[in-house]
Amino acid sequence: MIHLKMYIDGEWKEAENQETRPVINPANGEHIAYAPEGTVADARAAIYAARKAFEDGVWSGLSAQERASYLFKIAHKIEEYAQELTQLETEDNGKPLREAGFDVGDAAACFRYYAGLITKPDGYTYHVADPIQAMVVREPVGVCGLIVPWNYPLLMSVWKIAPALAAGNTIVFKPSEVTPVTPMKLFEIFEEVGLPKGVANMVMGAGPVVGNEIASHPEVDMISFTGGTKTGKNIMKTAAETMKKVSLELGGKSPNIIFADADFETAVDYALFGIYSGSGQVCSAGSRILVEENIYDRFVARFVERAKKIRVGPGNDPSTEMGPLVSQQHLEKVLGYIEIGKQEGAAIACGGNRILNNGLDKGYFVEPTVFVDVKQEMRIVQEEIFGPVVVIQKFQDEEEAVKLANGTVYGLAGGVFTNDGAKGLRVIKKLRAGITWVNSYHPTYNEAPWGGYKQSGIGRSLGTVGLEEFQEVKQININLQVEPVGWFSN
Ligand code: NDP
């Protein structure tokens, strides 16, 4: 049993009231850890520590090169502990070892990317009237509150922490109460590489308590949040009171458009990967597949044939291709949506049930599920289910494909499969979404900005834009001829 602790001002801490909550392995319902049930007082202690460290300049006062050297060491340590982190991620989140392993590798690469980026040229000068020399520099925002969800416990933490630290901020970080295990391991690494006290603080506990305190406290300058759109809206409202900078990466209902001229097997293969990797608990999941009508029946038949063969099981079995859902609560939400789909009159082409055989009855497993005969206005087409549930829709032509694709409140991601290059790019350019692929689905790169249009969020993670999110912009105008301005005569 792992006994988790919070990390505040360089010290490992229990919750102020000593309360804990169990952390559960979703593959079998067993308790794997106890996490402190942090309170408002704990959140405040972390915020004050981060504020003090920021004001003292123990981190922002270092040169970019010095900060980068810490980040390179962190990347190295993540790789050193890769096996342990992979195992822990699988136990805590449920994802297959293969997926967890990719996340750990990506986490190390992300630290390295921002370690490199922060030492590169930054800011610019501009020409104004003599005798002024003018320039623009970037500075850290200050104390950043980072709140992450449970679908990529380690990687989502790193997507925020690496650029925030690279930019010279101090942080108050909150993992999801459901998956705090690998985030704590990451903070152990921070301690091991000797990150100065108070620079990186971690509080655990309930979102409406600890998360809300971080979003509302006046000593926090910025909130960067990834999670559900409803929670994101609440955080934005709360943060508005103290005019915090806000960066939100929220949900999606992303379209994957398959034209008849696409390479058929490639399109089927990526469509399966787009929805069933991560058990569909991926913000960019291709949860709406739109297929041109003259290949629709053939596509559905082949997709269903392959979906039925996906090996569902515990993540720590190397033969498993799809793991459980993250929690009992989330299982109920996904099963609830399957019921809603049936009641709305959609037809199930495969799946639709919790899996209770093959020793999986103690875990939160759901069959890969396909809905057909759906209408655009149905809730299962419009709302984020965040599970292994896909709707397959039919379209007649390019125009209808774009209309259906853009026909939700979300705008996170989208894919197009076609062998007509011009058509692929034409359609992608019409998608109101921030992350897109042609003849591919899902790959993510540290170099490329990640985030959504419409109600999928505000701002971007990753890439140079992801660093700028954690920076303020300052103009500096220097008078090279020091004499009175002479505006007033007396
Ligand atoms: P949430 O968006 O509610 O949770 C994400 C994080 O926000 C968690 O750390 C959570 O804390 C915290 N949080 C919750 N409420 C508040 C608050 N009032 N103020 C500050 N922080 C808060 O995700 P859920 O787990 O509730 O999932 C709900 C739905 O959101 C999912 O079904 C899915 O549709 C979507 N989702 C989308 C994700 C994405 O990547 N886009 C990721 C996860 C979920 P706590 O630990 O208490 O939960």
Side-chain angles (χ1 to χ4, degrees):
M1 184 75 59
I2 308 166
H3 189 157
L4 301 169
K5 290 194 178 168
M6 303 187 286
Y7 192 66
I8 300 174
D9 206 13
E11 309 268 332
W12 294 101
K13 300 259 188 198
E14 307 285 355
E16 160 251 6
N17 59 9
Q18 304 296 311
E19 283 189 18
T20 58
R21 78 162 71 199
V23 180
I24 287 163
N25 179 341
N28 54 26
E30 285 173 9
H31 291 179
I32 54 167
Y34 282 92
E37 185 64 46
T39 63
V40 166
D42 293 318
R44 286 186 186 160
I47 292 166
Y48 295 141
R51 171 55 60 193
K52 181 166 186 321
F54 186 74
E55 300 302 335
D56 289 351
V58 294
W59 185 245
S60 60
L62 299 184
S63 70
Q65 192 118 52
E66 284 167 323
R67 286 202 302 276
S69 79
Y70 280 99
L71 302 194
F72 278 125
K73 281 185 205 151
I74 294 167
H76 184 73
K77 285 282 166 198
I78 291 174
E79 281 166 348
E80 191 181 322
Y81 297 126
Q83 212 177 344
E84 184 187 352
L85 283 164
T86 302
Q87 194 71 40
L88 289 173
E89 196 76 321
T90 291
E91 274 179 40
D92 193 8
N93 165 280
K95 61 178 66 190
L97 287 169
R98 182 171 57 162
E99 284 182 23
F102 277 121
D103 292 359
V104 173
D106 282 351
C110 186
F111 267 106
R112 255 190 208 113
Y113 173 76
Y114 282 110
L117 188 61
I118 199 62
T119 60
K120 302 300 174 284
D122 177 50
Y124 51 90
T125 62
Y126 54 98
H127 294 289
V128 292
D130 277 347
I132 297 294
Q133 172 63 57
M135 65 177 112
V136 171
V137 296
R138 291 187 173 275
E139 296 183 342
V141 178
V143 174
C144 296
L146 314 178
I147 302 175
V148 301
W150 39 257
N151 55 342
Y152 289 85
L154 178 69
L155 194 58
M156 284 305 108
S157 309
V158 170
W159 278 19
K160 295 189 187 304
I161 294 173
L165 290 183
N169 300 285
T170 58
I171 63 167
V172 178
F173 165 83
K174 190 195 103 57
S176 164
E177 61 186 325
V178 184
T179 53
V181 178
T182 52
M184 184 178 120
K185 186 77 204 161
L186 185 63
F187 275 72
E188 285 177 3
I189 289 175
F190 295 165
E191 184 184 42
E192 209 180 323
V193 304
L195 218 57
K197 202 164 99 95
V199 169
N201 304 275
M202 175 179 53
V203 214
M204 295 175 189
V209 179
V210 167
N212 184 63
E213 184 61 19
I214 298 170
S216 58
H217 200 287
E219 293 289 352
V220 175
D221 301 293
M222 170 179 177
I223 291 290
S224 176
F225 167 80
T226 297
T229 294
K230 195 168 160 227
T231 309
K233 287 179 183 175
N234 282 336
I235 287 179
M236 197 170 169
K237 280 185 206 151
T238 306
E241 278 301 312
T242 45
M243 203 51 79
K244 291 180 183 22
K245 196 171 179 191
V246 174
S247 177
L248 304 170
E249 204 257 277
L250 308 177
K253 192 75 185 180
S254 299
N256 192 1
I257 304 169
I258 319 287
F259 284 98
D261 63 5
D263 184 299
F264 184 79
E265 288 298 331
T266 300
V268 171
D269 197 56
Y270 270 105
L272 289 158
F273 181 56
I275 182 63
Y276 297 127
S277 58
S279 307
Q281 304 167 113
V282 181
C283 52
S284 55
S287 50
R288 293 184 293 140
I289 304 175
L290 311 178
V291 184
E292 196 164 359
E293 61 180 354
N294 49 346
I295 60 158
Y296 183 83
D297 291 343
R298 183 171 156 234
F299 183 92
V300 171
R302 181 70 177 134
F303 187 91
V304 164
E305 182 193 358
R306 290 199 55 193
K308 283 181 178 166
K309 290 186 188 152
I310 291 174
R311 290 194 298 267
V312 183
N316 63 5
D317 176 344
S319 69
T320 289
E321 294 176 321
M322 194 181 98
L325 295 176
V326 78
S327 65
Q328 172 79 34
Q329 192 189 7
H330 192 55
L331 170 79
E332 282 163 17
K333 177 184 164 183
V334 171
L335 292 175
Y337 266 110
I338 292 172
E339 277 314 305
I340 289 169
K342 288 185 203 161
Q343 280 161 22
E344 286 179 314
I348 290 190
C350 75
N353 302 299
R354 180 176 181 182
I355 305 175
L356 294 165
N357 55 7
N358 297 330
L360 301 183
D361 56 315
K362 303 257 180 338
Y364 314 128
F365 296 91
V366 171
E367 293 170 333
T369 299
V370 176
F371 273 109
V372 291
D373 295 342
V374 296
K375 297 197 175 67
Q376 183 72 3
E377 63 278 10
M378 286 179 178
R379 285 183 64 191
I380 56 164
V381 178
Q382 292 293 325
E383 297 176 19
E384 184 177 52
I385 300 174
F386 225 59
V389 181
V390 73
V391 297
I392 310 188
Q393 294 173 269
K394 199 184 286 184
F395 68 84
Q396 280 178 356
D397 54 21
E398 210 175 302
E399 194 186 340
E400 190 185 16
V402 170
K403 190 165 174 238
L404 293 173
N406 285 333
T408 75
V409 297
Y410 294 111
L412 190 60
V416 175
F417 284 80
T418 173
N419 272 337
D420 178 340
K423 179 163 66 179
L425 190 52
R426 215 162 47 228
V427 171
I428 284 288
K429 288 190 76 176
K430 286 185 188 148
L431 285 190
R432 302 276 300 145
I435 307 154
T436 62
W437 298 276
V438 178
N439 292 326
S440 176
Y441 205 95
H442 264 340
T444 312
Y445 306 98
N446 285 319
E447 296 79 1
W450 178 275
Y453 289 21
K454 295 156 72 181
Q455 294 193 29
S456 289
I458 295 174
R460 296 291 181 270
S461 298
L462 301 181
T464 52
V465 186
L467 178 67
E468 288 163 10
E469 292 278 298
F470 291 101
Q471 293 174 317
E472 288 283 12
V473 176
K474 179 181 279 176
Q475 55 164 291
I476 304 177
N477 304 298
I478 306 158
N479 187 356
L480 303 181
Q481 199 165 326
V482 184
E483 58 184 20
V485 63
W487 185 267
F488 300 107
S489 47
N490 296 307

